[in-house]
Amino acid sequence: MGIDLHTHSSVSDGTESPAELMATARAAGLDVVALTDHDTTAGWARAEAGRPHGLTVVPGMEMSCRWFPADDGRPVSIHLLAYLFDPAHPGFAAERLRLRDERRSRAERMVEALVADGHPLSWPEILAARNGGVVGRPHIARALVDAGSVESVDHAFATLLHPTSPYYVPKADTDVLTGISLVRTAGGVPVFAHGLASKRGRVVGDDAIVAMAGAGLLGLEVDHPDHRADERAHLRGVAADLGLIVTGSSDYHGTNKGTSIGAELTARDQFELLLAAGTGTAPYRD
Ligand code: AMP
Ligand code: ZN
Ligand code: FE
Ligand code: FE
């Protein structure tokens, strides 16, 4: 079985519409795909409507969270995958709305600062290019490429948009323990995404994962393109110790990133555990 539990559509920072993404998943031979756009469920209905025969679609989301380490006050960014939750749960829906507002005001401040230093960006054009979806740094990166300020999206992330850049503005993401509890209250399955991907920046220690498990975390994304072999081995051990589900996923973003859909997969028995734990929304299937 081909099971890929982490993909992005143009509703956040992928390049394919939800329906196109479903067709891509089927064409790649997948049996199961999860749609996990950042901080929004706006693509769910279009993924369901565009679902090819034979493909099981798991409605999900990747929630922007943060963890505050005990030793210093600087938060570490955490991406929390959430599957099969009830999108109408009021507390969770309100927090998603706050996160999207936060993304928008933060992106606008970054663009204003770049414009003030002579980068010819247009905030209305960036907003228009995101097609009504959730705005993120990838949208600013593409605009910087179009403006000739940087040679590539990768270069933009490595320089002007990097967390150490003077133009970088942090987002007030959800405390991860609150996020986990909201997902569970809405009947969803919370899974810690690319938890040890040190190439992305600072990562948390095992103490954070233990605390997250105590708050109701149900799984760890172990097989992810950004994880090295040693990082995968460590996470697999933590999952075994804590009794957590182990997933593998491509984190496909269309042509915004080099990874192919289905590049990393989840084992069938782990997927069955995840399905059994999700009670807020049923998967879309034949
Ligand atoms: P943001 O959520 O606005 O802070 O932007 C982070 C998003 O940018 C995440 O979805 C990443 O997957 C994406 N991202 C990070 N690095 C790159 C890169 N080099 N090229 C394209 N997208 C990236
Ligand atoms: Zn993304
Ligand atoms: Fe992520
Ligand atoms: Fe992702």
Side-chain angles (χ1 to χ4, degrees):
M1 287 254 285
I3 305 169
D4 187 340
L5 294 180
H6 184 167
T7 69
H8 296 267
S9 77
S10 54
V11 160
S12 61
D13 53 3
T15 52
E16 292 162 45
S17 71
E20 286 165 350
L21 179 60
M22 297 304 109
T24 298
R26 195 66 185 129
L30 290 179
D31 302 288
V32 179
V33 69
L35 176 67
T36 53
D37 280 304
H38 297 283
D39 305 323
T40 182
T41 60
W44 286 17
R46 277 176 278 165
E48 183 175 22
R51 182 182 68 81
H53 188 74
L55 182 71
T56 294
V57 177
V58 179
M61 191 181 85
E62 186 173 20
M63 186 181 192
S64 305
C65 295
R66 51 188 179 169
W67 163 260
F68 293 89
D71 47 350
D72 77 76
R74 281 193 309 144
V76 180
S77 168
I78 301 258
H79 286 182
L80 187 70
L81 290 160
Y83 302 103
L84 302 169
F85 57 86
D86 173 7
H89 181 277
F92 192 24
E95 184 59 11
R96 292 198 299 276
L97 186 60
R98 188 194 69 77
L99 282 172
R100 293 197 295 273
D101 284 347
E102 184 71 20
R103 282 183 163 278
R104 189 180 163 121
S105 58
R106 160 298 185 129
E108 186 171 14
R109 282 166 63 203
M110 286 178 73
V111 169
E112 278 169 2
L114 286 158
V115 168
D117 278 356
H119 297 280
L121 304 178
S122 153
W123 175 243
E125 276 177 30
I126 291 171
L127 273 189
R130 113 218 109 113
N131 281 322
V134 167
V135 69
R137 276 181 293 158
H139 301 91
I140 307 175
R142 270 201 300 285
L144 284 165
V145 173
D146 294 344
S149 290
V150 291
E151 67 201 26
S152 67
V153 166
D154 272 347
H155 190 223
F157 269 94
T159 58
L160 295 171
L161 303 181
H162 194 267
T164 57
S165 159
Y167 301 107
Y168 183 83
V169 177
K171 306 189 254 94
D173 292 336
T174 309
D175 182 291
V176 68
L177 302 182
T178 304
I180 288 167
S181 141
L182 283 170
V183 174
R184 289 298 298 273
T185 310
V189 185
V191 172
F192 185 13
H194 47 75
L196 287 187
S198 53
K199 63 176 272 193
R200 286 170 169 255
R202 248 175 3 130
V203 296
V204 298
D206 290 352
D207 60 320
I209 303 180
V210 169
M212 287 163 71
L217 185 75
L218 293 176
L220 297 179
E221 186 181 56
V222 172
D223 291 310
H224 182 281
D226 291 349
H227 278 154
R228 298 188 309 247
D230 59 314
E231 292 167 342
R232 296 178 193 217
H234 184 80
L235 276 178
R236 229 179 276 286
V238 173
D241 287 347
L242 298 174
L244 298 172
I245 297 169
V246 168
T247 70
S249 318
S250 65
D251 202 355
Y252 179 70
H253 278 72
T255 56
N256 274 347
K257 277 194 187 173
T259 314
S260 310
I261 200 164
E264 308 269 2
L265 298 170
T266 297
R268 184 177 184 159
D269 64 327
Q270 299 300 296
F271 174 59
E272 297 294 342
L273 291 171
L274 189 148
L275 269 187
T279 57
T281 299
Y284 314 141
R285 63 205 313 183
D286 293 347

